[in-house]
């Protein structure tokens, strides 16, 4: 694929990688090429030492991502249908497991696979025009990029069931009320707010941030006892870092810490 055909952009500035799904004519719908490009962009961000936080957004002012590409899905049979689901799930897992925090800047429609993409991020800020929904049952399918699993874990089974079984859309205000997003902002303030939060994260100890994310992510799959054991192990590991010494020394010396990620 030539660079001009690219459906995903990545810009890196001041420690923040902004990854943009850029297929505005199709409201940034995810075909398999776009999934692959997104995977590559996340791999780049994961292995780039300059990047501490990732912001994921959509191009234009109308859509974050309007879902998986329905034209592509309309051709699928049972076997490639399963593969399409697994391919999308792999990307969502990669985002969820990204050692660096990932903030979704939801700037419009986040439907089906677009809502699922936002759900794979660590937390979500939305513009006032954002619309969320899992409309798949209206297409004769179910959510296939993780929505049946991640939405109930985030907002509770009852609310998730209502959204999944009716396919109804909700606006940004309702998404805020049910805890699907953390903040709602005017469209022009969405990316600046995400960058401000990213900056706050970047000022902290990068290894501590990484381990805190891992504790929450891996812990959510474990029993409380196992999760607490994981937390204690990571806490112990943090204690071996120069960053911990620097963070505590700086506090005691009443100055700002200078973390090195070591
Ligand atoms: N796949 C493919 N193309 C899409 C698309 C999608 N998910 N969403 C929008 N588009 C295309 C439209 O077909 C249209 O293309 P053309 O100009 O070539 O006709 C273009 O984007 C603009 O869209 P609309 O004209 O429909 O714009 P609108 O403002 O009237 O409506 C919308 C906006 C409500 C988001 C509407 O486009 C829509 O309902 N889109 C589909 C949403 C959806 O059902 N998503 C779930 C997909 S299935 C899925 O995601 C499965 C999974 O879990 C893996």
């Amino acid at each position: 694929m030539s660079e001009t055909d690219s459906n995903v952009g990545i810009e890196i500035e001041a420690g923040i990688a902004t990854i943009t799904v850029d297929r505005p004519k199709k409201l940034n719908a995810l075909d398999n090429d776009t999934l692959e490009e997104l995977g590559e962009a996340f791999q780049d961000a994961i292995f780039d030492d300059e990047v501490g936080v990732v912001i994921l957004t959509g191009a234009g002012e109308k859509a974050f991502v309007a879902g998986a590409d329905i034209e592509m899905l309309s051709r699928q049979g049972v076997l490639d249908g399963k593969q399409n689901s697994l391919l999308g799930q792999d990307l969502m897992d990669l985002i969820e497991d990204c050692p660096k925090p990932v903030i979704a800047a939801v700037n419009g429609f986040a439907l089906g696979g677009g809502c699922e993409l936002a759900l794979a991020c660590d937390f979500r800020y939305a513009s006032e025009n954002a619309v969320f929904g899992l409309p798949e049952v209206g297409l004769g399918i179910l959510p296939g990029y993780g929505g049946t699993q991640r939405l109930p874990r985030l907002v509770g089974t009852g609310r998730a069931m209502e959204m999944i079984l009716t396919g109804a859309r909700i606006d940004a205000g309702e998404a805020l009320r049910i805890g699907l997003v953390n903040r709602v902002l005017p469209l022009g303030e969405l990316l600046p707010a995400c960058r401000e939060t990213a900056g706050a994260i970047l000022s902290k100890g990068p290894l501590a941030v990484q381990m805190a994310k891992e504790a929450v992510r891996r812990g959510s799959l474990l029993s409380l006892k196992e999760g607490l054991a994981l937390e204690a192990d990571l806490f112990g590991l943090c204690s071996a870092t120069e960053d911990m010494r620097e963070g505590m020394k700086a506090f005691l010396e009443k100055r700002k810490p200078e973390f090195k990620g070591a």
Side-chain angles (χ1 to χ4, degrees), residues 78-88:
V78 176
L79 293 181
D80 50 346
K82 181 173 177 180
Q83 284 313 312
N84 281 336
S85 172
L86 290 173
L87 206 66

Side-chain angles (χ1 to χ4, degrees), residues 28-221:
N28 304 325
L30 302 172
D31 59 4
N32 287 346
D33 285 343
T34 309
L35 288 180
E36 194 181 324
E37 281 187 69
L38 268 171
E40 286 164 6
F42 270 92
Q43 291 288 2
D44 287 350
I46 288 169
F47 287 103
D48 188 337
D49 289 343
E50 298 300 309
V51 174
V53 177
V54 180
I55 295 172
L56 177 61
T57 194
E61 300 196 338
K62 189 168 170 184
F64 173 68
V65 166
D69 190 305
I70 297 172
E71 204 185 323
M72 176 189 81
L73 296 186
S74 69
R75 296 189 294 269
Q76 74 189 10
V78 176
L79 293 181
D80 50 346
K82 181 173 177 180
Q83 284 313 312
N84 281 336
S85 172
L86 290 173
L87 206 66
Q89 287 182 4
D90 282 350
L91 173 70
M92 306 307 150
D93 288 349
L94 176 72
I95 294 171
E96 194 168 71
D97 294 339
C98 172
K100 299 161 185 185
V102 183
I103 306 171
V106 181
N107 58 315
F109 288 111
L111 300 176
C115 184
E116 294 168 299
L117 186 64
L119 286 167
C121 299
D122 293 318
F123 55 90
R124 290 142 289 280
Y125 288 1
S127 56
E128 289 166 343
N129 65 322
V131 176
F132 294 82
L134 290 173
E136 283 90 341
V137 289
L139 297 165
I141 52 173
L142 67 152
Y145 290 174
T148 62
Q149 304 306 305
R150 291 196 176 92
L151 187 62
R153 284 170 168 81
L154 184 65
V155 303
T157 306
R159 287 189 173 115
M161 278 291 195
E162 191 178 356
M163 283 180 71
I164 292 167
L165 300 183
T166 65
R169 298 183 203 157
I170 60 169
D171 64 17
E174 179 67 359
L176 181 66
R177 200 183 65 77
I178 67 173
L180 179 46
V181 302
N182 292 15
R183 287 182 69 184
V184 177
L185 298 128
L187 185 57
E189 293 173 27
L190 177 64
L191 279 176
C194 290
R195 290 192 182 114
E196 194 182 329
T197 299
I201 296 171
L202 286 168
S203 72
K204 310 299 178 194
L207 293 176
V209 165
Q210 197 166 315
M211 287 190 224
K213 172 169 173 171
E214 189 182 339
V216 175
R217 282 290 183 209
R218 281 180 51 207
S220 70
L221 304 173

